Amino acid sequence: MGNQHSGESKLNHVSDAADGPMRLQTDDTLSMSADLTNEATLVDDAAFEGSDTAVLADADLDQLIHDNQVDASDVMAPHLIRVKPGTSADATDSYIRGKEHLQQRNWTVAAELFQHAISRDPSRNGYHAGRALACLAYAHYKLGDGEESIRLYLEAADVDRNISGTRSGLAAAFMLAGRYEEAIEALKDAIRHDPKRLTLHFNLGNLLARLNRFDESEASYRSGLQCDAAHGPLLTNLGAVLAQQKKHADAIAALLIACEQPEPSWRSRFNLGLVLARLHRWTDSLEVLRGLCADYPECPRTRILTARVMRCGGRHLEAIEVLDEFVDWGDWRATSQELMGLIHESLGNPVQAVVFWKEALHSDPGFARPLGHLAMQALREGELAEATTAIKKAIRIRDDSATLWMIQGQIDLAKGAFDSAVDSLEKSVAIDESFHDARYWLGRAHLENQNLVGAAHQYERLEAAQSPLAERLKRRLV
């Protein structure tokens, strides 16, 4: 494959003397394939299909339609018995029919009926005025018009501050419009008025987690759990944000409680398996994931994580069996092929690994990780031109990947382009300041560029983080 001899000499130039040529698989430390967090993510328990905003909005629909306050003793839906003074029979009939269409999810028709009811009561003195505005706001929310929904919810609140669901409905509309800080304040206001409504705590925690405010998100979930200590979605998402904060023991404790419920969700069990894997508790993780595979045999994501954990635990042949069993992989086909490549790489079959990575790219040309693996394999073989082509394609797809920029830096080092290597590795560290592998290689690049101060700084950062790579970099400094 090309001028392999000259390529090897360059690789040796930037390798650790103690490690031999830069193979990057000796201790599974300096490879994108080793990091389980790069390959699997925690799953939020949305309780409903769709976004967490939908959870809030759907719950508000229930309150707006079924709340006893909506139909007082003087008005019996769906047939009008007696009309409150100041509200025309036409307006009340439109309001009642609008509610029926909300239940049937006919958003446009419902909006027209509520608008008619409101237009018949310009002074907003009618018995149903506030509720008609709130229902119209909800219909506009479901139609995707967040700003109009906000306006209508605010008007409904001005008419009647006691309508169930108005505050949380306003929060949902703020979220839809991307006005997150206002959504947070609306949810907090709703919680003050209805502190035992778990949906409010759940959605506030979800929104704060989305904004990476994990400590506040944790507090919101815990506040909800004070009302119901066995609430599965709250426990599942609490476990997720605790894991994001690297509070793994607390995360496992929360997820175990979620999994002990009579009908634990797929998400809680998946997250428990993943957190255990992040702690390298491969056997414990597999016990959870095997049970999950048995209950959801056709779930590609479960199979992917199970095979990854098996690979990381050295059970490569079992991992192949999990991936070889027939499953309709769908969107996960490229991911399964990538993983098969990683398993064959671990088994010492680089040719077979390359075949699977190329198959992954054929399945999904926009998948950056297989290109990163191909770049690393070409680098190991001294094929620097091939490595450069592959990594540049990968970065064009994912320029926010710290791992891909680290590989670019390693290739630059092998080519003797030390300034470029420093630039690439600094981009990697800027994306993920806790990425020890990139800091190690940045220290190496500074050394090759005769910048001892820069190399020493990276060593100090690694030492402060108690990274085992600190000692490896120190050997080059002294």
Side-chain angles (χ1 to χ4, degrees), residues 53-121:
T53 309
V55 179
L56 187 65
D58 287 352
D60 289 330
L61 172 62
D62 290 340
Q63 291 224 357
L64 285 168
I65 292 178
H66 301 298
D67 197 308
N68 291 331
Q69 294 182 49
V70 173
D71 297 311
S73 57
D74 294 307
V75 179
M76 301 287 292
H79 302 295
L80 185 66
I81 303 300
R82 183 159 60 88
V83 181
K84 280 278 186 177
T87 302
S88 70
D90 182 35
T92 303
D93 181 63
S94 294
Y95 169 72
I96 293 171
R97 288 169 56 210
K99 285 173 52 180
E100 292 171 353
H101 280 281
L102 276 188
Q103 288 177 303
Q104 297 165 19
R105 307 178 73 83
N106 297 329
W107 314 122
T108 301
V109 177
E112 292 171 354
L113 289 164
F114 291 128
Q115 186 63 61
H116 178 75
I118 292 166
S119 67
R120 302 289 291 174
D121 182 20

Side-chain angles (χ1 to χ4, degrees), residues 350-416:
V351 174
Q352 192 67 24
V354 168
V355 169
F356 277 109
W357 292 330
K358 289 183 176 179
E359 282 293 318
L361 289 171
H362 179 73
S363 299
D364 182 1
F367 193 10
R369 282 206 310 256
L371 285 164
H373 301 316
L374 289 169
M376 284 299 302
Q377 184 59 34
L379 177 59
R380 294 186 193 98
E381 295 175 355
E383 296 291 347
L384 300 184
E386 288 185 20
T388 300
T389 299
I391 199 61
K392 287 189 178 300
K393 286 182 181 178
I395 288 175
R396 279 198 296 270
I397 296 169
R398 285 289 310 275
D399 64 354
D400 62 343
S401 168
T403 304
L404 294 178
W405 280 111
M406 181 187 73
I407 295 172
Q408 175 70 75
Q410 292 171 288
I411 294 169
D412 291 335
L413 274 174
K415 293 163 66 175

Side-chain angles (χ1 to χ4, degrees), residues 297 303 320-327 329:
R303 286 184 175 274
I320 290 174
E321 288 180 6
V322 168
L323 296 176
D324 269 345
E325 291 181 17
F326 176 78
V327 173
W329 290 102

Side-chain angles (χ1 to χ4, degrees), residues 30 75 101 142 184 252 285 291 330 342 420:
L30 306 178
V75 179
H101 280 281
K142 297 303 291 185
I184 290 170
I252 290 170
S285 177
L342 293 174
S420 296

Side-chain angles (χ1 to χ4, degrees), residues 15-306:
S15 62
D16 278 313
D19 293 343
M22 189 169 57
R23 295 188 300 274
L24 307 182
Q25 286 291 303
T26 52
D27 58 3
D28 222 15
T29 301
L30 306 178
S31 166
M32 69 186 301
S33 64
D35 185 3
L36 199 67
T37 63
N38 244 1
E39 301 169 336
T41 53
L42 292 154
V43 183
D44 290 336
D45 197 333
F48 292 82
E49 291 302 319
S51 69
D52 49 8
T53 309
V55 179
L56 187 65
D58 287 352
D60 289 330
L61 172 62
D62 290 340
Q63 291 224 357
L64 285 168
I65 292 178
H66 301 298
D67 197 308
N68 291 331
Q69 294 182 49
V70 173
D71 297 311
S73 57
D74 294 307
V75 179
M76 301 287 292
H79 302 295
L80 185 66
I81 303 300
R82 183 159 60 88
V83 181
K84 280 278 186 177
T87 302
S88 70
D90 182 35
T92 303
D93 181 63
S94 294
Y95 169 72
I96 293 171
R97 288 169 56 210
K99 285 173 52 180
E100 292 171 353
H101 280 281
L102 276 188
Q103 288 177 303
Q104 297 165 19
R105 307 178 73 83
N106 297 329
W107 314 122
T108 301
V109 177
E112 292 171 354
L113 289 164
F114 291 128
Q115 186 63 61
H116 178 75
I118 292 166
S119 67
R120 302 289 291 174
D121 182 20
S123 63
R124 306 293 189 264
N125 292 323
Y127 178 65
H128 295 301
R131 295 181 180 88
L133 284 163
C135 286
L136 180 59
Y138 178 81
H140 275 281
Y141 166 81
K142 297 303 291 185
L143 290 168
D145 189 349
E147 294 296 340
E148 181 64 8
S149 180
I150 291 167
R151 185 189 71 78
L152 289 163
Y153 271 126
L154 290 172
E155 186 178 353
D158 285 340
V159 173
D160 185 350
R161 294 291 296 172
N162 296 314
I163 300 171
S164 299
T166 300
R167 293 178 180 83
S168 51
L170 177 61
F174 277 132
M175 283 193 276
L176 178 64
R179 294 164 61 173
Y180 296 133
E181 292 303 323
E182 291 164 289
I184 290 170
E185 291 307 312
L187 282 167
K188 289 180 178 178
D189 183 43
I191 289 170
R192 283 192 290 270
H193 285 81
D194 193 358
K196 293 186 178 181
R197 188 174 168 196
L198 297 180
T199 306
L200 300 175
H201 300 278
F202 180 70
N203 281 273
L204 178 57
N206 290 354
L207 178 55
L208 290 165
R210 180 190 297 174
L211 299 174
N212 296 324
R213 291 160 61 172
F214 297 122
D215 54 343
E216 296 174 72
S217 176
E218 176 188 344
S220 181
Y221 293 137
R222 291 193 184 280
S223 179
L225 288 168
Q226 290 178 3
C227 303
D228 181 358
H231 190 269
L234 282 168
L235 287 163
T236 298
N237 284 13
L238 173 62
V241 297
L242 288 168
Q244 293 287 2
Q245 298 173 86
K246 301 190 185 305
K247 300 177 180 178
H248 294 117
D250 291 341
I252 290 170
L255 291 167
L256 280 171
I257 297 173
C259 291
E260 289 168 358
Q261 301 313 304
E263 295 183 3
S265 74
W266 171 86
R267 294 171 178 86
S268 60
R269 297 164 70 187
F270 181 93
N271 285 355
L272 178 59
L274 177 54
V275 175
L276 289 166
R278 287 182 176 175
L279 295 175
H280 294 185
R281 292 172 56 179
W282 312 123
T283 301
D284 293 336
S285 177
L286 283 176
E287 182 179 353
V288 174
L289 294 173
R290 279 199 172 105
L292 199 57
C293 275
D295 291 340
Y296 300 91
E298 301 300 318
C299 177
R301 189 166 187 175
T302 301
R303 286 184 175 274
I304 291 289
L305 182 58
T306 302

